Amino acid sequence: MSEPTGTAHGPGRVLVSVYGLFALAAGARAGVQLATKFSVAPIAYLLSAFAALVYIGATVALARSGARWWRVALVCCSIELAGVLAVGTASLALPEDFPDATVWSDYGSGYGFVPLVLPVLGLLWLRRTRPDR
Amino acid sequence: MVDGLATAVTVVALVLAAWALIEVLRGKAPHRPLLIGVAGLEAVLVVQVIVAVVKLVTDRVPDEPATFVGYLVASLIILPIGYFWAWSEKNRSATGVVALACLVIPVLVLRMNQVWDGVGGV
């Protein structure tokens, strides 16, 4: 019996769950931050919202099959890796601009560095599930 | 909030997560006893939400009510979503999804109680 292929199957099932979890966590957190105290740290909260959108995009794209969704997932995971590296570095270099943490601050240390590891796992998984052309 | 209930939820969730992880190592798809366990955990979580809502109405409201309610909602939807996502896949990965969902619950309960006690921010 052959396993179904595609980004949502096998180990990808668990990967999509972790992405979904971060989409939920980052989305809810950004929603609360933007709704209740946007003026405190607008840059950090907008970054939180952006991170949430990237996680939602990656979750949906990885959960779907087909070459088009594979490419969307590749874009999302790439933005995610660039984002966590850029925001992580910026939050350490300019701590005064990040008075309140985002999911990507300090390379995601507030979330057990999962935000740093997740895009790497995502990109490795996408390499393994690259659709045939 | 209610320490006994939070402890019960945490212990049951960790036991289920450990059980699921053992089944992942054994290469098993989620089986009925494990799913009954998850359903039991969900039932305790429903009780916790009812207690929390009663406390919100009669006792007091935490400093960050939106965050608190967010954690309450999350605690109810995580297991059903995890189960829904796992059940169409009949292999060890599905069991891994169940393990992950169970592992998230103690974190949610911890954060929920921190917000209730006014510790930490969003």
Side-chain angles (χ1 to χ4, degrees), chain A residues 14-60:
Chain A
V14 182
L15 188 67
V16 171
S17 329
V18 181
Y19 265 102
L21 194 61
F22 271 80
L24 181 68
R29 177 171 165 147
V32 169
Q33 287 175 335
L34 291 177
T36 61
K37 45 182 187 177
F38 176 66
S39 56
V40 177
I43 296 176
Y45 296 156
L46 286 175
L47 273 172
S48 284
F50 176 71
L53 290 177
V54 173
Y55 283 121
I56 292 167
T59 307
V60 172

mmCIF file of all heavy atoms in Angstrom, chain A residues 14-60:
data_model
loop_
_atom_site.group_PDB
_atom_site.id
_atom_site.type_symbol
_atom_site.label_atom_id
_atom_site.label_comp_id
_atom_site.label_asym_id
_atom_site.label_seq_id
_atom_site.Cartn_x
_atom_site.Cartn_y
_atom_site.Cartn_z
ATOM 1 N N VAL A 14 1.741 16.350 10.753
ATOM 2 C CA VAL A 14 2.157 16.948 12.028
ATOM 3 C C VAL A 14 2.667 18.369 11.790
ATOM 4 O O VAL A 14 2.370 19.287 12.555
ATOM 5 C CB VAL A 14 3.242 16.084 12.705
ATOM 6 C CG1 VAL A 14 3.636 16.677 14.052
ATOM 7 C CG2 VAL A 14 2.741 14.654 12.886
ATOM 8 N N LEU A 15 3.418 18.542 10.691
ATOM 9 C CA LEU A 15 3.955 19.871 10.378
ATOM 10 C C LEU A 15 2.821 20.881 10.195
ATOM 11 O O LEU A 15 2.875 22.000 10.722
ATOM 12 C CB LEU A 15 4.818 19.791 9.108
ATOM 13 C CG LEU A 15 5.605 21.057 8.760
ATOM 14 C CD1 LEU A 15 6.678 21.320 9.809
ATOM 15 C CD2 LEU A 15 6.243 20.947 7.389
ATOM 16 N N VAL A 16 1.794 20.476 9.455
ATOM 17 C CA VAL A 16 0.652 21.372 9.239
ATOM 18 C C VAL A 16 -0.018 21.702 10.580
ATOM 19 O O VAL A 16 -0.452 22.833 10.810
ATOM 20 C CB VAL A 16 -0.369 20.745 8.263
ATOM 21 C CG1 VAL A 16 -1.647 21.564 8.208
ATOM 22 C CG2 VAL A 16 0.234 20.627 6.872
ATOM 23 N N SER A 17 -0.071 20.714 11.509
ATOM 24 C CA SER A 17 -0.675 20.980 12.827
ATOM 25 C C SER A 17 0.113 22.046 13.577
ATOM 26 O O SER A 17 -0.472 22.917 14.214
ATOM 27 C CB SER A 17 -0.725 19.745 13.705
ATOM 28 O OG SER A 17 -0.874 18.604 12.957
ATOM 29 N N VAL A 18 1.436 21.947 13.515
ATOM 30 C CA VAL A 18 2.258 22.941 14.226
ATOM 31 C C VAL A 18 2.046 24.318 13.588
ATOM 32 O O VAL A 18 1.893 25.326 14.285
ATOM 33 C CB VAL A 18 3.750 22.552 14.203
ATOM 34 C CG1 VAL A 18 4.569 23.583 14.963
ATOM 35 C CG2 VAL A 18 3.953 21.180 14.813
ATOM 36 N N TYR A 19 2.011 24.351 12.250
ATOM 37 C CA TYR A 19 1.750 25.617 11.569
ATOM 38 C C TYR A 19 0.375 26.164 11.947
ATOM 39 O O TYR A 19 0.216 27.361 12.209
ATOM 40 C CB TYR A 19 1.863 25.453 10.046
ATOM 41 C CG TYR A 19 3.227 25.819 9.518
ATOM 42 C CD1 TYR A 19 4.146 24.844 9.175
ATOM 43 C CD2 TYR A 19 3.602 27.154 9.406
ATOM 44 C CE1 TYR A 19 5.403 25.181 8.712
ATOM 45 C CE2 TYR A 19 4.853 27.501 8.952
ATOM 46 C CZ TYR A 19 5.755 26.511 8.606
ATOM 47 O OH TYR A 19 7.001 26.857 8.171
ATOM 48 N N GLY A 20 -0.609 25.273 11.987
ATOM 49 C CA GLY A 20 -1.960 25.702 12.346
ATOM 50 C C GLY A 20 -2.006 26.282 13.749
ATOM 51 O O GLY A 20 -2.667 27.285 14.009
ATOM 52 N N LEU A 21 -1.255 25.638 14.637
ATOM 53 C CA LEU A 21 -1.173 26.107 16.021
ATOM 54 C C LEU A 21 -0.596 27.520 16.076
ATOM 55 O O LEU A 21 -1.126 28.394 16.774
ATOM 56 C CB LEU A 21 -0.282 25.137 16.794
ATOM 57 C CG LEU A 21 -0.285 25.217 18.297
ATOM 58 C CD1 LEU A 21 -1.689 24.943 18.800
ATOM 59 C CD2 LEU A 21 0.695 24.194 18.844
ATOM 60 N N PHE A 22 0.474 27.737 15.311
ATOM 61 C CA PHE A 22 1.087 29.068 15.311
ATOM 62 C C PHE A 22 0.204 30.084 14.602
ATOM 63 O O PHE A 22 0.188 31.259 14.986
ATOM 64 C CB PHE A 22 2.491 29.015 14.698
ATOM 65 C CG PHE A 22 3.523 28.729 15.734
ATOM 66 C CD1 PHE A 22 3.731 27.442 16.173
ATOM 67 C CD2 PHE A 22 4.227 29.763 16.327
ATOM 68 C CE1 PHE A 22 4.640 27.173 17.176
ATOM 69 C CE2 PHE A 22 5.143 29.503 17.326
ATOM 70 C CZ PHE A 22 5.349 28.217 17.752
ATOM 71 N N ALA A 23 -0.523 29.644 13.578
ATOM 72 C CA ALA A 23 -1.473 30.554 12.930
ATOM 73 C C ALA A 23 -2.523 30.999 13.944
ATOM 74 O O ALA A 23 -2.854 32.187 14.046
ATOM 75 C CB ALA A 23 -2.133 29.851 11.735
ATOM 76 N N LEU A 24 -3.016 30.051 14.720
ATOM 77 C CA LEU A 24 -4.036 30.357 15.736
ATOM 78 C C LEU A 24 -3.457 31.254 16.826
ATOM 79 O O LEU A 24 -4.031 32.296 17.177
ATOM 80 C CB LEU A 24 -4.552 29.045 16.337
ATOM 81 C CG LEU A 24 -5.646 29.156 17.404
ATOM 82 C CD1 LEU A 24 -6.937 29.662 16.793
ATOM 83 C CD2 LEU A 24 -5.884 27.798 18.060
ATOM 84 N N ALA A 25 -2.286 30.862 17.345
ATOM 85 C CA ALA A 25 -1.696 31.608 18.455
ATOM 86 C C ALA A 25 -1.301 33.022 18.027
ATOM 87 O O ALA A 25 -1.652 34.007 18.690
ATOM 88 C CB ALA A 25 -0.471 30.851 18.995
ATOM 89 N N ALA A 26 -0.591 33.115 16.893
ATOM 90 C CA ALA A 26 -0.137 34.422 16.434
ATOM 91 C C ALA A 26 -1.322 35.284 16.012
ATOM 92 O O ALA A 26 -1.349 36.493 16.262
ATOM 93 C CB ALA A 26 0.855 34.257 15.276
ATOM 94 N N GLY A 27 -2.316 34.660 15.377
ATOM 95 C CA GLY A 27 -3.490 35.405 14.925
ATOM 96 C C GLY A 27 -4.285 35.957 16.091
ATOM 97 O O GLY A 27 -4.657 37.137 16.105
ATOM 98 N N ALA A 28 -4.518 35.115 17.099
ATOM 99 C CA ALA A 28 -5.291 35.557 18.257
ATOM 100 C C ALA A 28 -4.540 36.642 19.019
ATOM 101 O O ALA A 28 -5.115 37.656 19.431
ATOM 102 C CB ALA A 28 -5.579 34.363 19.173
ATOM 103 N N ARG A 29 -3.240 36.417 19.171
ATOM 104 C CA ARG A 29 -2.418 37.389 19.894
ATOM 105 C C ARG A 29 -2.394 38.745 19.181
ATOM 106 O O ARG A 29 -2.581 39.796 19.795
ATOM 107 C CB ARG A 29 -1.005 36.826 20.018
ATOM 108 C CG ARG A 29 -0.009 37.731 20.669
ATOM 109 C CD ARG A 29 1.246 36.927 20.909
ATOM 110 N NE ARG A 29 2.380 37.776 21.202
ATOM 111 C CZ ARG A 29 3.361 37.418 22.024
ATOM 112 N NH1 ARG A 29 3.315 36.259 22.611
ATOM 113 N NH2 ARG A 29 4.375 38.210 22.240
ATOM 114 N N ALA A 30 -2.191 38.692 17.854
ATOM 115 C CA ALA A 30 -2.166 39.938 17.088
ATOM 116 C C ALA A 30 -3.528 40.630 17.162
ATOM 117 O O ALA A 30 -3.602 41.854 17.291
ATOM 118 C CB ALA A 30 -1.792 39.641 15.627
ATOM 119 N N GLY A 31 -4.594 39.853 17.096
ATOM 120 C CA GLY A 31 -5.939 40.430 17.154
ATOM 121 C C GLY A 31 -6.164 41.174 18.460
ATOM 122 O O GLY A 31 -6.655 42.308 18.473
ATOM 123 N N VAL A 32 -5.770 40.535 19.573
ATOM 124 C CA VAL A 32 -5.938 41.167 20.889
ATOM 125 C C VAL A 32 -5.061 42.418 20.987
ATOM 126 O O VAL A 32 -5.504 43.474 21.444
ATOM 127 C CB VAL A 32 -5.585 40.165 22.015
ATOM 128 C CG1 VAL A 32 -5.504 40.872 23.359
ATOM 129 C CG2 VAL A 32 -6.621 39.055 22.064
ATOM 130 N N GLN A 33 -3.805 42.297 20.521
ATOM 131 C CA GLN A 33 -2.886 43.431 20.608
ATOM 132 C C GLN A 33 -3.388 44.624 19.797
ATOM 133 O O GLN A 33 -3.403 45.756 20.278
ATOM 134 C CB GLN A 33 -1.495 43.023 20.093
ATOM 135 C CG GLN A 33 -0.735 42.113 21.050
ATOM 136 C CD GLN A 33 0.572 41.623 20.457
ATOM 137 O OE1 GLN A 33 0.736 41.548 19.244
ATOM 138 N NE2 GLN A 33 1.510 41.276 21.317
ATOM 139 N N LEU A 34 -3.824 44.355 18.570
ATOM 140 C CA LEU A 34 -4.269 45.447 17.699
ATOM 141 C C LEU A 34 -5.556 46.065 18.224
ATOM 142 O O LEU A 34 -5.760 47.272 18.140
ATOM 143 C CB LEU A 34 -4.474 44.943 16.263
ATOM 144 C CG LEU A 34 -3.209 44.547 15.505
ATOM 145 C CD1 LEU A 34 -3.564 43.993 14.132
ATOM 146 C CD2 LEU A 34 -2.266 45.735 15.356
ATOM 147 N N ALA A 35 -6.419 45.236 18.800
ATOM 148 C CA ALA A 35 -7.725 45.735 19.232
ATOM 149 C C ALA A 35 -7.649 46.498 20.551
ATOM 150 O O ALA A 35 -8.403 47.444 20.764
ATOM 151 C CB ALA A 35 -8.712 44.565 19.360
ATOM 152 N N THR A 36 -6.744 46.081 21.456
ATOM 153 C CA THR A 36 -6.797 46.650 22.800
ATOM 154 C C THR A 36 -5.688 47.654 23.103
ATOM 155 O O THR A 36 -5.853 48.504 23.964
ATOM 156 C CB THR A 36 -6.740 45.532 23.871
ATOM 157 O OG1 THR A 36 -5.507 44.831 23.738
ATOM 158 C CG2 THR A 36 -7.904 44.561 23.704
ATOM 159 N N LYS A 37 -4.532 47.569 22.421
ATOM 160 C CA LYS A 37 -3.449 48.498 22.799
ATOM 161 C C LYS A 37 -2.511 48.775 21.633
ATOM 162 O O LYS A 37 -1.298 48.715 21.780
ATOM 163 C CB LYS A 37 -2.679 47.943 23.999
ATOM 164 C CG LYS A 37 -2.329 46.473 23.896
ATOM 165 C CD LYS A 37 -1.621 46.001 25.157
ATOM 166 C CE LYS A 37 -1.125 44.587 24.991
ATOM 167 N NZ LYS A 37 -0.372 44.107 26.143
ATOM 168 N N PHE A 38 -3.111 49.080 20.490
ATOM 169 C CA PHE A 38 -2.329 49.302 19.280
ATOM 170 C C PHE A 38 -1.291 50.398 19.474
ATOM 171 O O PHE A 38 -0.153 50.300 19.033
ATOM 172 C CB PHE A 38 -3.257 49.657 18.121
ATOM 173 C CG PHE A 38 -2.538 49.992 16.852
ATOM 174 C CD1 PHE A 38 -1.801 49.023 16.178
ATOM 175 C CD2 PHE A 38 -2.575 51.281 16.333
ATOM 176 C CE1 PHE A 38 -1.123 49.335 15.008
ATOM 177 C CE2 PHE A 38 -1.887 51.586 15.170
ATOM 178 C CZ PHE A 38 -1.166 50.617 14.505
ATOM 179 N N SER A 39 -1.651 51.479 20.196
ATOM 180 C CA SER A 39 -0.778 52.652 20.286
ATOM 181 C C SER A 39 0.478 52.399 21.121
ATOM 182 O O SER A 39 1.447 53.139 21.019
ATOM 183 C CB SER A 39 -1.554 53.832 20.872
ATOM 184 O OG SER A 39 -2.101 53.451 22.121
ATOM 185 N N VAL A 40 0.478 51.341 21.942
ATOM 186 C CA VAL A 40 1.630 51.078 22.817
ATOM 187 C C VAL A 40 2.871 50.739 21.987
ATOM 188 O O VAL A 40 3.972 51.246 22.238
ATOM 189 C CB VAL A 40 1.319 49.930 23.804
ATOM 190 C CG1 VAL A 40 2.545 49.611 24.650
ATOM 191 C CG2 VAL A 40 0.143 50.307 24.694
ATOM 192 N N ALA A 41 2.719 49.873 21.018
ATOM 193 C CA ALA A 41 3.856 49.436 20.206
ATOM 194 C C ALA A 41 3.367 49.066 18.815
ATOM 195 O O ALA A 41 3.324 47.887 18.462
ATOM 196 C CB ALA A 41 4.553 48.243 20.860
ATOM 197 N N PRO A 42 3.016 50.082 18.011
ATOM 198 C CA PRO A 42 2.397 49.775 16.707
ATOM 199 C C PRO A 42 3.258 48.911 15.809
ATOM 200 O O PRO A 42 2.745 48.007 15.150
ATOM 201 C CB PRO A 42 2.158 51.167 16.090
ATOM 202 C CG PRO A 42 2.898 52.135 16.943
ATOM 203 C CD PRO A 42 3.084 51.521 18.282
ATOM 204 N N ILE A 43 4.595 49.152 15.798
ATOM 205 C CA ILE A 43 5.442 48.358 14.890
ATOM 206 C C ILE A 43 5.416 46.887 15.290
ATOM 207 O O ILE A 43 5.225 45.999 14.457
ATOM 208 C CB ILE A 43 6.891 48.894 14.904
ATOM 209 C CG1 ILE A 43 6.914 50.322 14.346
ATOM 210 C CG2 ILE A 43 7.805 47.986 14.088
ATOM 211 C CD1 ILE A 43 8.274 50.991 14.411
ATOM 212 N N ALA A 44 5.593 46.641 16.593
ATOM 213 C CA ALA A 44 5.607 45.252 17.066
ATOM 214 C C ALA A 44 4.281 44.560 16.770
ATOM 215 O O ALA A 44 4.254 43.395 16.351
ATOM 216 C CB ALA A 44 5.897 45.210 18.565
ATOM 217 N N TYR A 45 3.168 45.286 16.967
ATOM 218 C CA TYR A 45 1.862 44.650 16.774
ATOM 219 C C TYR A 45 1.562 44.420 15.308
ATOM 220 O O TYR A 45 0.946 43.412 14.939
ATOM 221 C CB TYR A 45 0.765 45.477 17.446
ATOM 222 C CG TYR A 45 0.945 45.543 18.943
ATOM 223 C CD1 TYR A 45 0.407 46.573 19.693
ATOM 224 C CD2 TYR A 45 1.676 44.567 19.601
ATOM 225 C CE1 TYR A 45 0.584 46.627 21.067
ATOM 226 C CE2 TYR A 45 1.870 44.612 20.966
ATOM 227 C CZ TYR A 45 1.321 45.643 21.693
ATOM 228 O OH TYR A 45 1.515 45.688 23.041
ATOM 229 N N LEU A 46 2.002 45.352 14.450
ATOM 230 C CA LEU A 46 1.816 45.121 13.016
ATOM 231 C C LEU A 46 2.673 43.936 12.560
ATOM 232 O O LEU A 46 2.244 43.155 11.715
ATOM 233 C CB LEU A 46 2.171 46.386 12.222
ATOM 234 C CG LEU A 46 1.117 47.499 12.318
ATOM 235 C CD1 LEU A 46 1.597 48.761 11.597
ATOM 236 C CD2 LEU A 46 -0.227 47.039 11.732
ATOM 237 N N LEU A 47 3.871 43.812 13.147
ATOM 238 C CA LEU A 47 4.703 42.649 12.819
ATOM 239 C C LEU A 47 4.035 41.359 13.274
ATOM 240 O O LEU A 47 4.074 40.341 12.583
ATOM 241 C CB LEU A 47 6.078 42.783 13.481
ATOM 242 C CG LEU A 47 7.120 43.560 12.691
ATOM 243 C CD1 LEU A 47 8.368 43.779 13.534
ATOM 244 C CD2 LEU A 47 7.477 42.809 11.411
ATOM 245 N N SER A 48 3.408 41.404 14.458
ATOM 246 C CA SER A 48 2.673 40.228 14.938
ATOM 247 C C SER A 48 1.588 39.839 13.950
ATOM 248 O O SER A 48 1.406 38.664 13.634
ATOM 249 C CB SER A 48 2.018 40.516 16.296
ATOM 250 O OG SER A 48 2.957 40.492 17.326
ATOM 251 N N ALA A 49 0.861 40.850 13.472
ATOM 252 C CA ALA A 49 -0.224 40.578 12.523
ATOM 253 C C ALA A 49 0.335 40.018 11.218
ATOM 254 O O ALA A 49 -0.220 39.077 10.643
ATOM 255 C CB ALA A 49 -1.020 41.855 12.259
ATOM 256 N N PHE A 50 1.465 40.589 10.772
ATOM 257 C CA PHE A 50 2.092 40.095 9.548
ATOM 258 C C PHE A 50 2.534 38.639 9.718
ATOM 259 O O PHE A 50 2.283 37.791 8.854
ATOM 260 C CB PHE A 50 3.290 40.978 9.187
ATOM 261 C CG PHE A 50 4.065 40.485 7.997
ATOM 262 C CD1 PHE A 50 3.528 40.576 6.718
ATOM 263 C CD2 PHE A 50 5.319 39.918 8.144
ATOM 264 C CE1 PHE A 50 4.233 40.113 5.621
ATOM 265 C CE2 PHE A 50 6.031 39.441 7.059
ATOM 266 C CZ PHE A 50 5.484 39.551 5.790
ATOM 267 N N ALA A 51 3.169 38.362 10.876
ATOM 268 C CA ALA A 51 3.602 36.991 11.156
ATOM 269 C C ALA A 51 2.407 36.045 11.136
ATOM 270 O O ALA A 51 2.468 34.945 10.584
ATOM 271 C CB ALA A 51 4.320 36.928 12.504
ATOM 272 N N ALA A 52 1.297 36.491 11.731
ATOM 273 C CA ALA A 52 0.094 35.656 11.770
ATOM 274 C C ALA A 52 -0.390 35.341 10.355
ATOM 275 O O ALA A 52 -0.738 34.198 10.048
ATOM 276 C CB ALA A 52 -1.005 36.360 12.562
ATOM 277 N N LEU A 53 -0.382 36.360 9.471
ATOM 278 C CA LEU A 53 -0.828 36.138 8.091
ATOM 279 C C LEU A 53 0.081 35.138 7.380
ATOM 280 O O LEU A 53 -0.392 34.282 6.624
ATOM 281 C CB LEU A 53 -0.858 37.470 7.320
ATOM 282 C CG LEU A 53 -1.950 38.448 7.743
ATOM 283 C CD1 LEU A 53 -1.834 39.742 6.956
ATOM 284 C CD2 LEU A 53 -3.335 37.819 7.518
ATOM 285 N N VAL A 54 1.397 35.236 7.637
ATOM 286 C CA VAL A 54 2.337 34.301 7.007
ATOM 287 C C VAL A 54 2.063 32.876 7.498
ATOM 288 O O VAL A 54 2.043 31.933 6.700
ATOM 289 C CB VAL A 54 3.793 34.715 7.305
ATOM 290 C CG1 VAL A 54 4.769 33.660 6.789
ATOM 291 C CG2 VAL A 54 4.099 36.061 6.667
ATOM 292 N N TYR A 55 1.821 32.729 8.803
ATOM 293 C CA TYR A 55 1.524 31.395 9.333
ATOM 294 C C TYR A 55 0.225 30.843 8.758
ATOM 295 O O TYR A 55 0.130 29.652 8.437
ATOM 296 C CB TYR A 55 1.434 31.425 10.865
ATOM 297 C CG TYR A 55 2.778 31.489 11.547
ATOM 298 C CD1 TYR A 55 3.099 32.533 12.393
ATOM 299 C CD2 TYR A 55 3.719 30.495 11.332
ATOM 300 C CE1 TYR A 55 4.337 32.595 13.013
ATOM 301 C CE2 TYR A 55 4.958 30.554 11.938
ATOM 302 C CZ TYR A 55 5.261 31.608 12.779
ATOM 303 O OH TYR A 55 6.484 31.661 13.371
ATOM 304 N N ILE A 56 -0.786 31.703 8.645
ATOM 305 C CA ILE A 56 -2.060 31.245 8.085
ATOM 306 C C ILE A 56 -1.861 30.800 6.635
ATOM 307 O O ILE A 56 -2.325 29.734 6.218
ATOM 308 C CB ILE A 56 -3.130 32.355 8.184
ATOM 309 C CG1 ILE A 56 -3.486 32.604 9.652
ATOM 310 C CG2 ILE A 56 -4.376 31.989 7.385
ATOM 311 C CD1 ILE A 56 -4.279 33.877 9.890
ATOM 312 N N GLY A 57 -1.103 31.619 5.876
ATOM 313 C CA GLY A 57 -0.827 31.276 4.479
ATOM 314 C C GLY A 57 -0.089 29.952 4.359
ATOM 315 O O GLY A 57 -0.442 29.097 3.536
ATOM 316 N N ALA A 58 0.936 29.769 5.216
ATOM 317 C CA ALA A 58 1.726 28.530 5.163
ATOM 318 C C ALA A 58 0.856 27.330 5.544
ATOM 319 O O ALA A 58 0.947 26.265 4.924
ATOM 320 C CB ALA A 58 2.925 28.639 6.100
ATOM 321 N N THR A 59 0.004 27.509 6.567
ATOM 322 C CA THR A 59 -0.853 26.405 7.004
ATOM 323 C C THR A 59 -1.775 25.957 5.879
ATOM 324 O O THR A 59 -1.860 24.763 5.567
ATOM 325 C CB THR A 59 -1.712 26.836 8.216
ATOM 326 O OG1 THR A 59 -0.858 27.357 9.227
ATOM 327 C CG2 THR A 59 -2.509 25.666 8.761
ATOM 328 N N VAL A 60 -2.449 26.918 5.261
ATOM 329 C CA VAL A 60 -3.396 26.590 4.191
ATOM 330 C C VAL A 60 -2.666 25.953 3.013
ATOM 331 O O VAL A 60 -3.087 24.923 2.481
ATOM 332 C CB VAL A 60 -4.163 27.853 3.740
ATOM 333 C CG1 VAL A 60 -5.011 27.562 2.511
ATOM 334 C CG2 VAL A 60 -5.034 28.373 4.885
#
